[in-house]
């Protein structure tokens, strides 16, 4: 390939896969919502580090959501998947499906 | 009224209840802030210190009698007593001032306190994790602060406020404890050692 795309296969860690799956399925979400939806797979202390790394890779984007009165404090951050994130997720889903298929295990031979 | 979250107090939450919490010292100082009549005050919170103050006052009162009996002992007692009192006085003044200054620095103003002055006791807590954020602001980059620690604290505060709003005060304490642990975990993960461990584990894979 002669274009600017990165030829390396975009592997997702389990947490990244889970987060992207939730964001694609449910739309915009807060970090805490993801933790609760993951039923124990994601932890409060680690999710924000993971989200930051995913943001650096361009898989997700975020914005600050202003608090509603009478709440005060630091605004919460809402996350959503980018187009790249969705493509990477779909690629990983397909890769996983292929890996689990008979073809990958020599079913056609 | 059980809980007030005052938008005026930017970084603060006021939990107001009829009973418990808030140390006596803090309540007295808060009341002194409320009441403009009090110009100054010193707090003695130790019973032994209180007894010592009574003893000294008796000594001063009967100074002439004691002095006439044994001049050397009286002089010694007088000098050591003066030094001790000066030290204690300085300590109490300093403590009082630091608490008062803390209130002021935290943005509590007389007018805001006045609004709740008729309530028996005031429970007030600093916005959770604000001290943690000061530390991380110093230790980590602005980007990390914005993207990792501030969202974490925002969710922490959200969960904490939810507990307060639903009058689950005990659970709110637990929430604070739990999030403290998570905050420290995030700090560890973002530390150079955490990065190194991650690099090694990736390399090993």
């Amino acid at each position: 390939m002669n274009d600017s795309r990165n030829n390396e296969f975009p592997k997702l860690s389990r947490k990244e896969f889970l987060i992207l799956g939730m964001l694609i399925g449910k739309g915009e979400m807060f970090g805490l919502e993801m933790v609760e939806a993951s039923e124990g797979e994601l932890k409060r202390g680690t999710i924000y580090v993971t989200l930051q790394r995913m943001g650096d890779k361009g898989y997700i984007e975020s914005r600050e959501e202003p608090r509603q009165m009478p709440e005060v404090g630091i605004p919460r951050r809402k996350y959503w998947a980018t187009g790249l994130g969705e493509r990477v997720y779909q690629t990983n889903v397909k890769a996983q499906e292929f890996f689990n298929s008979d073809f990958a295990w020599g079913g056609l031979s | 009224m059980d809980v007030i979250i005052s938008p005026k107090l930017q970084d603060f939450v006021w939990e107001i209840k009829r009973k418990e919490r808030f140390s006596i010292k803090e309540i007295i100082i808060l009341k002194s802030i409320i009441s403009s009549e009090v110009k100054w005050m010193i707090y003695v919170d130790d019973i032994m210190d209180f007894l010592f103050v009574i003893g000294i006052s008796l000594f001063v009162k009967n100074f002439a009698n004691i002095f006439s009996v044994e001049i050397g002992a009286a002089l010694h007692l007088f000098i050591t007593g003066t030094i001790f009192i000066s030290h204690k006085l300085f300590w109490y003044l300093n403590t009082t001032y630091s608490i008062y200054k803390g209130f002021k620095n935290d943005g509590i103003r007389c007018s805001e306190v006045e609004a709740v002055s008729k309530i028996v006791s005031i429970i007030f807590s600093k916005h959770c994790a604000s001290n943690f954020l000061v530390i991380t602001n110093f230790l980590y980059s602005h980007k990390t602060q914005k993207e990792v620690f501030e969202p974490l604290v925002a969710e922490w505060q959200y969960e904490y406020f939810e507990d307060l709003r639903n009058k689950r005060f005990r659970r709110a304490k637990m929430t604070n404890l739990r999030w403290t642990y998570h905050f420290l975990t995030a700090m560890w993960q973002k530390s150079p050692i955490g990065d190194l461990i991650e690099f090694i584990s990736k390399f090993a894979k």
Side-chain angles (χ1 to χ4, degrees):
Chain A
M1 284 227 278
N2 202 16
D3 61 10
S4 59
R5 287 181 205 172
N6 190 350
N7 288 327
E8 202 176 299
F9 181 74
K11 274 188 287 184
L12 289 174
S13 71
R14 184 165 173 72
K15 279 180 191 169
E16 287 175 337
F17 187 78
L18 195 66
I19 290 170
L20 270 179
M22 277 192 280
L23 291 177
I24 292 165
K26 296 179 182 174
E28 294 184 0
M29 287 178 95
F30 290 113
L32 194 60
E33 286 176 333
M34 287 185 243
V35 171
E36 282 163 1
S38 72
E39 294 173 344
E41 283 211 51
L42 297 170
K43 304 285 178 204
R44 288 168 171 80
T46 52
I47 187 171
Y48 299 99
V49 180
T50 312
L51 286 168
Q52 188 201 25
R53 283 176 192 154
M54 289 172 77
D56 290 344
K57 290 175 192 168
Y59 298 162
I60 58 164
E61 276 179 11
S62 65
R63 65 154 192 278
E64 286 184 346
E65 191 83 349
R67 284 183 186 266
Q68 306 214 330
M69 294 291 281
E71 273 185 40
V72 288
I74 300 164
R76 297 172 78 194
R77 199 168 268 273
K78 220 164 195 182
Y79 302 88
W80 66 91
T82 59
L84 173 68
E86 282 191 40
R87 275 209 305 278
V88 170
Y89 178 76
Q90 299 302 345
T91 312
N92 273 266
V93 169
K94 279 179 185 157
Q96 210 166 33
E97 280 171 1
F98 175 75
F99 184 74
N100 292 333
S101 67
D102 290 341
F103 181 72
W105 294 96
L108 292 179
S109 61
Chain B
M1 189 159 28
D2 289 300
V3 178
I4 289 180
I5 298 174
S6 163
K8 280 184 189 173
L9 296 173
Q10 291 294 317
D11 287 325
F12 285 86
V13 177
W14 288 75
E15 308 159 41
I16 295 153
K17 282 204 301 179
R18 286 230 156 244
K19 293 173 193 168
E20 70 182 336
R21 249 173 54 198
F22 223 60
S23 76
I24 303 274
K25 202 187 286 176
E26 285 167 334
I27 288 174
I28 297 168
I29 294 172
L30 253 185
K31 283 187 177 172
S32 79
I33 298 170
I34 295 162
S35 129
S36 53
E37 289 169 15
V38 179
K39 298 291 177 201
W40 61 272
M41 57 177 65
I42 301 167
Y43 300 99
V44 181
D45 55 358
D46 190 319
I47 186 70
M48 290 311 290
D49 289 341
F50 179 67
L51 291 175
F52 180 79
V53 170
I54 291 174
I56 288 295
S57 63
L58 286 172
F59 171 74
V60 171
K61 201 176 170 187
N62 300 303
F63 182 71
N65 297 339
I66 299 169
F67 196 77
S68 62
V69 175
E70 179 50 74
I71 188 163
L75 208 62
H76 178 73
L77 192 60
F78 177 73
I79 292 167
T80 48
T82 309
I83 293 168
F84 187 75
I85 286 179
S86 312
H87 173 254
K88 280 285 174 190
L89 203 65
F90 173 76
W91 190 85
Y92 288 130
L93 278 172
N94 193 36
T95 309
T96 308
Y97 178 68
S98 64
I99 296 172
Y100 179 80
K101 201 176 152 197
F103 279 135
K104 288 284 179 191
N105 285 346
D106 289 344
I108 298 172
R109 299 283 175 270
C110 297
S111 59
E112 286 160 350
V113 179
E114 255 169 2
V116 292
S117 63
K118 283 178 185 170
I119 290 159
V120 176
S121 71
I122 302 161
I123 301 174
F124 110 104
S125 64
K126 216 171 182 183
H127 228 192
C128 29
S130 47
N131 288 341
F132 282 113
L133 279 180
V134 174
I135 299 168
T136 50
N137 193 29
F138 178 72
L139 292 175
Y140 298 91
S141 68
H142 178 71
K143 186 174 176 288
T144 306
Q145 178 80 350
K146 270 273 170 215
E147 293 177 1
V148 176
F149 296 112
E150 284 189 6
L152 191 149
V153 169
E155 300 287 19
W156 176 344
Q157 289 171 349
Y158 172 77
E159 210 175 351
Y160 180 68
F161 294 155
E162 281 299 303
D163 288 340
L164 291 183
R165 214 166 280 133
N166 296 320
K167 299 176 188 174
R168 296 183 299 221
F169 296 105
R170 201 166 288 171
R171 196 180 145 167
K173 280 181 194 168
M174 288 308 295
T175 301
N176 263 348
L177 267 177
R178 198 168 59 224
W179 276 101
T180 304
Y181 167 74
H182 294 309
F183 193 93
L184 294 175
T185 312
M187 276 181 79
W188 166 255
Q189 272 210 324
K190 289 304 292 179
S191 69
I193 301 166
D195 282 344
L196 184 71
I197 290 170
E198 197 194 336
F199 174 76
I200 292 168
S201 61
K202 264 186 187 172
F203 190 74
K205 281 177 189 174

